Amino acid sequence: MSTTRATAEEPEAHDGRSAVRTLLRLWPYVRPVRARLFIAAVVAVFASCMGLVIPLVLKWMVDGPIAGHDSRGVWLGALWLLLLGLGEALLFGLRRWLVARPLAGVEAAMRAGLYRRLQRLPVAFHDRWPSGQLLSRATSDLQLLRMFLAFPLTFLFVNAVTILVGVIIMLVQDWALGLVILGPALPVLAVCIVFERRYHLVARRAQDQVGDLTTVVEESVLGIRIIKGFGRHRSQARAFRELSGTLRGTELHKARLLSAIWAVIVTLPELAIGAALVLGTVRVADGDLSAGTLVAFLSTALALRWPVDSIGFLLAMSQDAATATERYFEVLDEDPEGVGEVVPGAGVPTSASGATGAAEGARGTARPAPPGPAADKLRTGGAMPPRPGASGTADTPRTPGTAAAADGTIGAGSSDAAGTGHGLRFHGVSFRYPDAPADSAPVLDRVDLHIRPGESMALVGTTGSGKTTLTALVPRLHEVTSGRITLDGHDIATLPRQELRALVAVAFEEPTLFSASVGDNVLMGAGDEAGEAELRHALSVAQADFVHTLPQGTDTQVGEQGLSLSGGQRQRLALARAVVGKPRFLVLDDPLSALDVHTEAAVEAALRRVLADTTALIVAHRPSTVLLADRVALLSGGRITAVGTHHELLRTNAEYAWLMAGADEETDRDTPHGTDSLEEAAR
């Protein structure tokens, strides 16, 4: 189980930022509905103050009709009390009606904003963050914020006004008794300050632990086949119980803090009311105070019990909301793709709006965007040079230790003559993951590689050599640490990601399908104008005709992650998604690894026709996949150490011959380890 933020470390110490300053960050979302929230607050103040008029009516009744034995006056007073009670209830109902719809809209807008930002954040962010932490921010945290805006935000203000008006009424009735009631104010204020500081840390820890628990549940659901297959349900249940127990302990800590402040907030005012009752009774007996005044005073004090008693849980809900706001903006404060990048020759950072979603990158293909100038030039830059053959036209084979710089380099942003700078080209590309130690070796180190227009290049290397990382750099799922990558001479850093990903289609090693129909999954790789003809062609290329045997054909829902299909079926649909848009550049990361020999051969035959019209980089582990390409590049130690045709590298490069021999265990056992035998086995 992966270590997440809450389990890895204690929440950071309180940084001095008050809950008020944190909650003020919600203002841009609240501003569109501020008028209704303000009206709702005013209505609630009137409703609360109507409750404070009731003690004054009681005073009039006690000192007037009751003392004078006037039954009609008593009934009149009772009628006033009934009308005041009904008016208070109706006003509070109106307040709730005023805030319900706007705050549901605020929550929906915040959730949509979070989703949009998640789509635009770089892949490196999603590699760092557990999905459960992100899900909890989009669900439970936003529910806390809606509850805060609906209740504590209004009633902290309403209760403050109510307490102020009530205190003024009591002081006017009798200033001495009023001072007795005000006695606990300073101790209660001090307790609230201490509570705010302690509760903040515990609330943050609890919400992070909810994210951890969400991650465990999500992993258990998605990995249920592994759990059942290896009989690991007990260990997963134990991990769940441990996290649940930790969360339970944190919630109990929150409850203890809340009970402590509530005990103080309830006890001290009750003692003050008791003292005022005793003192007031003595004064009534001495004739210094009328009975009606004492009744009105005590009724006002009792009417203020709820506003005072509610301070504790209103502060707790506000702290929960402040913590949820922090967690929400932790994601929104992350820079999306493209922010802060300087386009060569422009001198200004690129707009964040030019970035596409990380989910589109994860799908491997992006829907074509309205073409920009650079993309237009790439799409219509003239006739494609003749495709190099598999023999006779290949570059001079490289031996181990030789760099690919022999292909030549071109200046930044330049567009060379056809065949020199065109196609897909890596210029001294180095890459290190952002969270890697500073002294660690780069994953890719000064990679130079040129894939000519219309050419297919197979990328071969040992496991962990950086092949997948290299392919992820082409659609800019990661940014190069140094060097540059060009498409037909144009630096990809100068292209908006949306246009770049419309030119480059990617099929990843792990095929990802979505909870949609087969047709929708495949057509994710094409523009909105693509239809049934393009879908049939792509399925034919990927040898995915099995979809026509599904219950609803291409309209069949594949379910979450496409787990209702086999691995080979998912991989063929992912390949169909990559080719359906007829991309100019195609990047395939071991696209046939889950296929049987016969299906693989059929897919290869159809794929050769697609590769004839595109520039392709293909990660390959098996000789059959390698033979799809015109040339082969060997990636070793983070560098391209050899480039040539398959047969040339078999004869001249021992590491490549060893890799190809290891790709076929039966051939490795039965064939002598000579060069000619290796070549025959690979053939």
Side-chain angles (χ1 to χ4, degrees):
M1 183 178 63
S2 61
T3 303
T4 61
R5 174 173 181 162
T7 56
E9 58 184 19
E10 288 296 311
E12 296 177 1
H14 196 268
D15 61 1
R17 173 182 289 182
S18 68
V20 174
R21 288 180 57 193
T22 300
L23 292 170
L24 281 175
R25 300 196 67 182
L26 298 175
W27 173 245
Y29 298 97
V30 176
R31 183 167 50 198
V33 298
R34 63 188 182 278
R36 292 191 66 160
L37 292 183
F38 177 75
I39 293 173
V42 172
V43 169
V45 168
F46 274 110
S48 186
C49 290
M50 286 182 70
L52 296 178
V53 177
I54 293 177
L56 300 179
V57 175
L58 290 174
K59 176 185 178 180
W60 173 79
M61 291 177 65
V62 171
D63 289 342
I66 294 177
H69 304 285
D70 181 6
S71 59
R72 292 182 61 186
V74 172
W75 282 107
L76 180 62
L79 179 61
W80 277 109
L81 292 176
L82 177 62
L83 292 176
L84 288 171
L86 288 175
E88 183 180 4
L90 289 174
L91 288 176
F92 275 124
L94 176 61
R95 183 209 72 86
R96 182 175 291 274
W97 177 82
L98 285 171
V99 302
R101 184 181 296 272
L103 292 184
V106 169
E107 182 185 12
M110 294 185 68
R111 184 172 288 113
L114 179 64
Y115 182 79
R116 285 194 301 269
R117 180 51 58 98
L118 289 174
Q119 297 298 293
R120 295 172 58 195
L121 287 171
V123 173
F125 170 88
H126 292 277
D127 289 342
R128 294 195 314 269
W129 280 68
S131 56
Q133 292 289 346
L134 300 177
L135 287 173
S136 65
R137 282 163 169 79
T139 52
S140 59
D141 284 355
L142 289 182
Q143 290 174 357
L144 287 173
L145 291 178
R146 179 171 57 82
M147 291 173 58
F148 165 75
L149 294 173
F151 193 73
L153 176 63
T154 300
F155 278 94
L156 282 173
F157 170 71
V158 171
N159 290 357
V161 173
T162 303
I163 292 171
L164 178 62
V165 173
V167 168
I168 293 174
I169 292 175
M170 288 189 294
L171 289 174
V172 170
Q173 296 290 332
D174 189 278
W175 66 270
L177 294 180
L179 291 179
V180 172
I181 294 294
L182 287 176
L186 290 179
V188 168
L189 181 61
V191 169
C192 289
I193 293 174
V194 174
F195 170 81
E196 188 269 343
R197 292 178 177 175
R198 294 185 177 179
Y199 193 87
H200 172 84
L201 296 176
V202 183
R204 176 60 198 246
R205 188 183 306 128
Q207 285 168 251
D208 283 343
Q209 288 169 354
V210 169
D212 290 347
L213 201 61
T214 305
T215 300
V216 171
V217 173
E218 184 198 23
E219 289 177 344
S220 298
V221 171
L222 293 179
I224 190 64
R225 290 166 175 78
I226 301 298
I227 294 173
K228 288 182 175 294
F230 287 91
R232 303 301 297 175
H233 57 280
R234 288 188 177 85
S235 62
Q236 286 297 108
R238 184 166 55 251
F240 179 83
R241 284 196 304 270
E242 289 174 356
L243 283 177
S244 297
T246 302
L247 177 59
R248 176 178 178 273
T250 305
E251 291 293 343
L252 289 176
H253 190 182
K254 286 172 60 178
R256 286 192 294 270
L257 288 174
L258 188 57
S259 63
I261 187 176
W262 214 331
V264 173
I265 289 177
V266 171
T267 302
L268 292 182
E270 292 290 340
L271 292 175
I273 292 175
L277 174 62
V278 173
L279 182 59
T281 303
V282 171
R283 293 183 61 191
V284 169
D286 293 341
D288 296 334
L289 190 68
S290 70
T293 301
L294 180 60
V295 169
F297 185 92
L298 292 177
S299 298
T300 303
L302 292 175
L304 295 181
R305 284 181 60 187
W306 160 247
V308 173
D309 292 351
S310 65
I311 290 176
F313 81 84
L314 288 177
L315 287 177
M317 292 179 69
S318 299
Q319 283 298 324
D320 287 337
T323 302
T325 303
E326 286 180 358
R327 285 164 48 86
Y328 178 82
F329 281 100
E330 281 176 353
V331 177
L332 260 68
D333 289 341
E334 292 281 341
D335 289 333
E337 290 179 320
V339 170
E341 296 175 6
V342 178
V343 177
V348 294
T350 59
S351 169
S353 63
T356 56
E360 286 184 345
R363 295 168 188 161
T365 53
R367 291 188 180 275
D376 281 340
K377 195 170 183 179
L378 279 170
R379 290 190 181 99
T380 60
M384 183 178 293
R387 176 186 174 122
S391 63
T393 61
D395 285 357
T396 302
R398 294 168 178 78
T399 56
T402 62
D407 285 319
T409 58
I410 60 178
S414 65
S415 181
D416 295 353
T420 303
H422 283 205
L424 171 60
R425 190 157 191 167
F426 298 81
H427 304 262
V429 170
S430 297
F431 177 77
R432 177 185 286 108
Y433 284 98
D435 55 352
D439 56 349
S440 63
V443 178
L444 300 172
D445 184 19
R446 292 170 291 172
V447 170
D448 288 289
L449 184 63
H450 182 200
I451 307 168
R452 297 183 293 239
E455 181 183 34
S456 298
M457 176 76 74
L459 186 63
V460 176
T462 58
T463 301
S465 60
K467 301 184 297 298
T468 297
T469 300
L470 185 66
T471 61
L473 297 180
V474 179
R476 294 179 67 188
L477 300 184
H478 296 290
E479 294 297 330
V480 298
T481 304
S482 63
R484 62 195 181 93
I485 303 172
T486 59
L487 299 180
D488 286 349
H490 297 274
D491 193 335
I492 63 172
T494 66
L495 296 174
R497 284 179 174 80
Q498 194 168 358
E499 295 181 4
L500 170 65
R501 292 168 186 173
L503 294 167
V504 179
V506 183
F508 292 101
E509 184 176 9
E510 291 294 332
T512 299
L513 300 180
F514 296 86
S515 298
S517 69
V518 170
D520 289 340
N521 269 282
V522 173
L523 291 177
M524 284 179 180
D528 294 331
E529 70 281 356
E532 191 67 26
E534 288 80 8
L535 176 60
R536 286 196 303 269
H537 174 71
L539 293 174
S540 174
V541 170
Q543 295 299 299
D545 295 332
F546 69 89
V547 301
H548 301 299
T549 66
L550 298 176
Q552 286 83 40
T554 57
D555 293 327
T556 302
Q557 298 290 315
V558 298
E560 187 178 18
Q561 299 288 319
L563 294 179
S564 59
L565 304 175
S566 70
Q569 289 173 331
R570 293 198 301 273
Q571 195 166 57
R572 278 178 278 171
L573 290 181
L575 180 60
R577 182 171 57 200
V579 303
V580 67
K582 299 179 180 178
R584 180 76 178 273
F585 300 91
L586 186 61
V587 178
L588 305 177
D589 188 356
D590 201 13
L592 311 178
S593 59
L595 304 185
D596 62 79
V597 175
H598 301 291
T599 304
E600 179 186 7
V603 172
E604 287 172 352
L607 195 56
R608 281 190 177 90
R609 295 192 295 272
V610 174
L611 294 177
D613 300 320
T614 188
T615 302
L617 177 62
I618 308 170
V619 174
H621 293 96
R622 294 186 286 186
S624 56
T625 309
V626 169
L627 291 175
L628 282 172
D630 302 307
R631 291 188 299 154
V632 183
L634 177 63
L635 183 63
S636 179
R639 304 192 69 180
I640 298 296
T641 58
V643 177
T645 66
H646 170 65
H647 301 93
E648 290 169 343
L649 293 185
L650 277 178
R651 290 193 301 270
T652 61
N653 191 289
E655 182 180 2
Y656 180 79
W658 176 77
L659 286 172
M660 290 297 99
D664 189 335
E665 294 181 1
E666 182 177 354
T667 302
D668 189 47
R669 288 194 303 267
D670 299 339
T671 307
H673 291 270
T675 302
D676 293 337
S677 299
L678 286 170
E679 182 179 353
E680 182 62 28
R683 187 178 295 115

